[in-house]
Amino acid sequence: MRNRLMFLLAATLFPAVSNAALHIDGYTPARHDRFANSPSFIGAGYDFSGVGHAGGSWATMISPSYFLTAAHASPAVNSTATFDADNVPGGTVSYTVASAVTLKNPDGSNSDLRLGRLTTPLNPLHNIATYAIPLLGDNSAYIGRSQFVYGRGNAGDTSDRVGRNTIDEIIPPNPNDNFDVGGVEGYATISYYDDGSGIDETFLQGGDSGAPNFIDVGGQLTLVGINWFNATDDKTKEWVASGGSFVPAYAQQIADAMVGESFVAVPEPGVVGVLVVALGVGVMLRRRRVAT
């Protein structure tokens, strides 16, 4: 049984230059390193080739030219974005970042979600994935879903890490009262950290900002979030939750900003792909803990 505890939020935006490893409960290289070449990798059978590095930042492709990342850790214009062709290590290919635009919230404030564009589209011969955006209906369709959380390995590691977490909440409570972290506002997915209660569970670290969160829809990875912040209890300093920009909330704006290309929208089978941002209650996160 789980209890809910209200807490005052102490959230951290991660600088892109920081390079701590994504925390994963029960971490082992075989299970959690993308290029460990192990059948026990939790992401085995999925294609992560569309997740690229751009200096200390990330770029996750949603079409041949366009990618999503975090605004506070965005690749610089004219920087180099690298991807692993054919989803295998050692096949690195490079592209140049042409431009990027920060997406807006309904009240006109800046979100932490940024849409970038490459100077040239991905070469089809490189076999680099692009990811659909899941438009599943209202927010209840996302709550409780397991997501793949992508992040960095230790400095010097040759492999990125992939863990899991559950989408526990989507905030803010209404379109005109955006969730605020360090002066940046927006719609966020919240995943509570239950202090080792489950293997694979993640807690974001410095350097993970801008990396993607995926949910499986119809057997394929779909881009539901972009890493944004972590949160600790302001009194105990315990790890509480990780948050990502909730990509589906910005789907129409993303579509309007793309020129000459479009992303793929993927609904659940039998569900009309129309996003409704649900209204909620309260302005503070609710921590979930295992009852003792």
Side-chain angles (χ1 to χ4, degrees):
M1 182 176 181
R2 293 177 180 268
N3 297 320
R4 287 178 177 266
L5 175 68
M6 300 297 287
F7 69 94
L8 297 177
L9 182 67
T12 302
L13 295 175
F14 316 125
V17 295
S18 181
N19 194 26
L22 174 67
H23 174 83
I24 304 176
D25 288 343
Y27 166 78
T28 64
R31 183 169 177 80
H32 300 110
D33 283 359
R34 176 179 165 192
F35 291 132
N37 296 319
S38 169
S40 63
F41 174 49
I42 63 170
Y46 294 100
D47 188 348
F48 293 95
S49 62
V51 183
H53 290 272
S57 302
W58 300 86
T60 301
M61 303 304 298
I62 58 171
S63 78
S65 298
Y66 286 90
F67 63 86
L68 290 175
T69 189
H72 79 272
S74 177
V77 172
N78 295 324
S79 64
T80 299
T82 60
F83 301 87
D84 293 282
D86 299 307
N87 199 37
V88 296
T92 302
V93 294
S94 298
Y95 292 84
T96 301
V97 175
S99 62
V101 59
T102 299
L103 301 176
K104 301 288 187 179
N105 298 305
D107 65 357
S109 62
N110 287 334
S111 74
D112 193 57
L113 190 61
R114 197 161 172 84
L115 177 69
R117 182 175 62 85
L118 303 177
T119 56
T120 58
L122 299 172
N123 186 330
L125 296 178
H126 292 158
N127 293 319
I128 298 170
T130 61
Y131 302 105
I133 295 175
L135 304 184
L136 306 185
D138 65 25
N139 287 354
S140 64
Y142 301 87
I143 304 302
R145 295 188 73 116
S146 177
Q147 61 180 349
F148 290 106
V149 179
Y150 200 101
R152 296 195 184 281
N154 287 312
D157 281 1
T158 58
S159 181
D160 297 334
R161 291 186 181 181
V162 181
R164 287 186 184 273
N165 217 327
T166 300
I167 300 174
D168 293 307
E169 295 190 45
I170 296 172
I171 52 178
N174 66 68
N176 295 312
D177 185 17
N178 300 313
F179 182 61
D180 187 313
V181 179
V184 179
E185 301 178 346
Y187 295 96
T189 60
I190 302 298
S191 295
Y192 292 100
Y193 179 71
D194 293 325
D195 197 20
S197 63
I199 191 170
D200 304 330
E201 187 167 11
T202 60
F203 187 77
L204 299 179
Q205 304 293 314
D208 293 330
S209 280
N213 300 318
F214 297 106
I215 60 173
D216 181 310
V217 178
Q220 65 176 304
L221 294 177
T222 64
L223 183 60
V224 70
I226 294 291
N227 291 339
W228 179 5
F229 62 88
N230 66 15
T232 58
D233 188 295
D234 68 336
K235 294 182 179 179
T236 66
K237 307 305 178 185
E238 292 179 324
W239 290 355
V240 175
S242 297
S245 291
F246 180 45
V247 171
Y250 300 91
Q252 186 60 60
Q253 190 177 166
I254 292 169
D256 292 343
M258 297 174 70
V259 177
E261 295 179 5
S262 59
F263 65 83
V264 174
V266 177
E268 285 273 55
V271 176
V272 176
V274 177
L275 177 71
V276 178
V277 178
L279 301 183
V281 293
V283 295
M284 292 186 291
L285 301 179
R286 297 184 292 276
R287 182 180 181 185
R288 294 183 176 185
R289 307 186 67 173
V290 177
T292 57

